[in-house]
Amino acid sequence: MTVPHREDSGAEAPTGGFDAHRPPYQDLVSDCVHCGFCLPACPTYALTGEEMNSPRGRIYQIKLIGEGEAPLDAAAVRHFDACLGCMACVTACPSGVQYDRLIESVRPQIERNWARTRSDRAFRELIFRLFPYPRRLRIAAVLGALYQRLGLRRALACSGLLSRLPARVRALEALMPDVPLRSAMRRVPDRSPARGAPGTTAKGTTARHTTARCTVGLVTGCVQQVFFAQVNEATVRVLTAEGCDVVAPRAQGCCGALSEHAGREDEAMTRARRLIDTFEPLDVDAIVVNVAGCGSSLKAYGRLLADDPDYRERAAAFAAKVRDVSELLAELPPLAPRRPLHARVAYHDACHLAHAQGIRDEPRAVLRTVPDLEVVDIPEADMCCGSAGIYNLVQPEAAEELGRRKADNVLSTNPDAVVTANPGCLLQIARHLGPHRDELPVLHPVQILDAAIRGVRPW
């Protein structure tokens, strides 16, 4: 679990090769005692065996750059870019080193102070002009459906042209989900009332009425609401079945998680302010998110906007209400009956749920409320699948190795389905299942719960 963040002292150490805006704090750097417990936990160290591609090595580079002993140069940027930001090292570290804060402070420094190549800038700009915008994603979904249904994908593969495309373009093409257009165009209702909460009649017998246990705001996401609309729909059905009123404001936009993880700090802050403005008037009891990466960013809004006097307190209040859907469901005693599901599912820990938020037991506990469902862990459970926000697009070779490794570990458990709580993980694992892709469903945990409550088969 991520160690609670200490209060910043306000006094910044010399910035060296970093600029003066939120440089990595040297007191956080000095927490690292170079014990090496992070090494086996780090995916990039596992792939390369290179010290500078480990958390310990990156912290040493941060120290040298911050002290002016080394420049922020191409080699350093390459090592920082290679980091997935999975935070497995934070979980593994016995000294409580806050590597998450260090790498999160380095990424904006790179974006402000390092001149990326023209092709790198163009590809990253393409990503951020597409993925945070659901309307644009819906257009992309239409074009993707035509691309697949007209046989263009197969034709490109058979001609050999696909293999000649740049690695990043191949990765983008391979991760394209086959989304039914009707699903991509659907949206959950603005308001969904509780379908029943427990009450008591005059004779003391249990009855049902529509007084909600709580009112929750649902963050519908960007990629989630277009490519995984069925997950949002399942989330609404489960929450209302468990006695919650659900509010999903149509005006909400991107939460800024992808931008923040990529070092686009100003962009992330702008998106955070807009989301706070959207949800603040709703007076909900909790703000629910079903995307691990978004959830970790939403819970850190207080830190992201700590320097903004107009939003500092509002951001902290917003963050305090954020709950992953499994976290909320684990807090609420179950109301809706679950039908038995005779199946074996492999649970993959999304990094931004397990490491960044410290949520491990809750999804498993929620799944185990389904009778006859066997939940099994995957070997190397703490190893990232290689998705990591936009990592599998900008670092496709390393991501592919990690994706294959994760798929092999999944298959070793001989499951009937795979469940994980992040859309990037869903896409990444499905891609690397290869010939097993059609026979092994990859689902969000809430879809399993929804199917058990409705008494239908989830695949």
Side-chain angles (χ1 to χ4, degrees):
M1 181 182 297
T2 301
V3 178
H5 294 128
R6 71 181 64 171
E7 291 295 322
D8 293 332
S9 64
E12 297 177 352
T15 60
F18 298 120
D19 66 36
H21 178 65
R22 292 185 172 183
Y25 282 95
Q26 290 298 309
D27 62 339
L28 298 183
V29 171
S30 64
D31 286 341
C32 179
V33 298
H34 310 290
C35 66
F37 276 90
C38 62
L39 300 183
C42 177
T44 50
Y45 183 80
L47 292 181
T48 68
E50 187 176 353
E51 174 71 18
M52 290 305 174
N53 271 339
S54 73
R56 182 173 69 179
R58 293 186 183 103
I59 290 172
Y60 185 63
Q61 291 173 87
I62 291 171
K63 179 178 185 295
L64 293 179
I65 296 169
E67 293 176 346
E69 297 296 323
L72 182 63
D73 59 10
V77 169
R78 184 171 65 252
H79 294 309
F80 292 133
D81 280 352
C83 174
L84 292 103
C86 68
M87 308 310 168
C89 57
V90 178
T91 300
C93 181
S95 301
V97 175
Q98 297 178 50
Y99 177 83
D100 52 344
R101 291 193 65 185
L102 289 171
I103 193 66
E104 286 167 6
S105 63
V106 167
R107 296 205 192 281
Q109 293 280 340
I110 293 172
E111 296 309 303
R112 288 195 299 269
N113 301 313
W114 178 252
R116 296 189 180 278
T117 65
R118 183 177 299 177
S119 60
D120 192 10
R121 290 198 309 272
F123 188 76
R124 289 170 184 267
E125 197 61 29
L126 169 66
I127 291 172
F128 286 100
R129 286 186 179 274
L130 176 60
F131 286 98
Y133 300 95
R135 289 182 181 177
R136 298 176 189 179
L137 282 176
R138 289 189 173 93
I139 295 172
V142 172
L143 297 176
L146 290 173
Y147 169 71
Q148 295 181 49
R149 284 158 179 69
L150 294 176
L152 297 178
R153 168 178 275 180
R154 180 176 297 178
L156 279 176
C158 292
S159 69
L161 292 176
L162 194 58
S163 62
R164 298 179 186 178
L165 293 174
R168 288 179 168 184
V169 178
R170 291 201 308 272
L172 183 60
E173 192 275 343
L175 288 164
M176 185 187 305
D178 187 5
V179 182
L181 292 182
R182 184 177 299 177
S183 174
M185 301 301 167
R186 291 202 303 259
R187 294 181 176 88
V188 296
D190 291 355
R191 292 184 175 271
S192 301
R195 287 190 281 158
T200 304
T201 66
K203 296 181 179 180
T205 57
T206 300
R208 308 290 290 184
H209 59 73
T210 56
T211 302
R213 302 168 87 181
C214 62
T215 300
V216 302
L218 177 63
V219 177
T220 53
C222 304
V223 172
Q224 189 81 335
Q225 71 170 276
V226 178
F227 293 154
F228 296 97
Q230 69 276 18
V231 175
N232 280 346
E233 292 167 352
T235 300
V236 171
R237 286 194 295 265
V238 168
L239 289 172
T240 55
E242 295 291 9
C244 302
D245 285 342
V246 180
V247 182
R250 186 67 59 93
Q252 66 179 289
C254 174
C255 70
L258 278 181
S259 300
E260 185 185 10
H261 297 160
R264 299 165 71 103
E265 187 178 59
D266 289 344
E267 190 174 86
M269 293 170 70
T270 297
R271 296 189 186 284
R273 293 184 189 101
R274 289 175 182 168
L275 199 67
I276 292 169
D277 290 342
T278 301
F279 276 89
E280 202 171 48
L282 301 180
D283 193 28
V284 295
D285 300 303
I287 297 167
V288 172
V289 60
N290 54 21
V291 177
C294 296
S296 67
S297 289
L298 293 169
K299 289 181 177 181
Y301 270 7
R303 188 170 78 248
L304 178 67
L305 297 174
D307 296 335
D308 186 332
D310 294 329
Y311 279 85
R312 182 188 301 118
E313 293 183 3
R314 295 165 62 189
F318 178 97
K321 287 186 174 184
V322 176
R323 296 287 186 278
D324 181 76
V325 63
S326 66
E327 193 178 10
L328 179 68
L329 291 171
E331 293 171 2
L332 297 173
L335 292 181
R338 278 80 158 147
R339 274 83 171 179
L341 179 58
H342 301 277
R344 175 183 173 91
V345 298
Y347 179 77
H348 163 65
D349 284 291
C351 295
H352 276 91
L353 198 61
H355 300 305
Q357 298 182 59
I359 297 175
R360 294 174 178 271
D361 295 337
E362 293 88 342
R364 292 171 169 84
V366 168
L367 286 169
R368 287 179 177 132
T369 64
V370 178
D372 297 337
L373 183 69
E374 182 183 4
V375 182
V376 297
D377 290 331
I378 297 168
E380 294 187 322
D382 285 342
M383 186 67 68
C384 183
C385 69
S387 173
I390 66 169
Y391 188 89
N392 54 358
L393 298 177
V394 297
Q395 300 281 339
E397 292 87 358
E400 185 166 348
E401 285 192 60
L402 291 169
R404 288 175 178 171
R405 185 168 177 161
K406 180 62 66 174
D408 289 343
N409 282 324
V410 165
L411 293 171
S412 74
T413 66
N414 193 31
D416 298 308
V418 189
V419 289
T420 187
N422 197 61
C425 301
L426 290 167
L427 291 173
Q428 176 80 346
I429 293 173
R431 173 194 174 187
H432 291 287
L433 286 173
H436 303 278
R437 182 171 183 169
D438 293 334
E439 63 193 52
L440 189 59
V442 185
L443 304 169
H444 192 287
V446 78
Q447 292 177 278
I448 302 288
L449 192 60
D450 173 54
I453 290 173
R454 292 194 292 147
V456 299
R457 192 73 180 169
W459 56 81

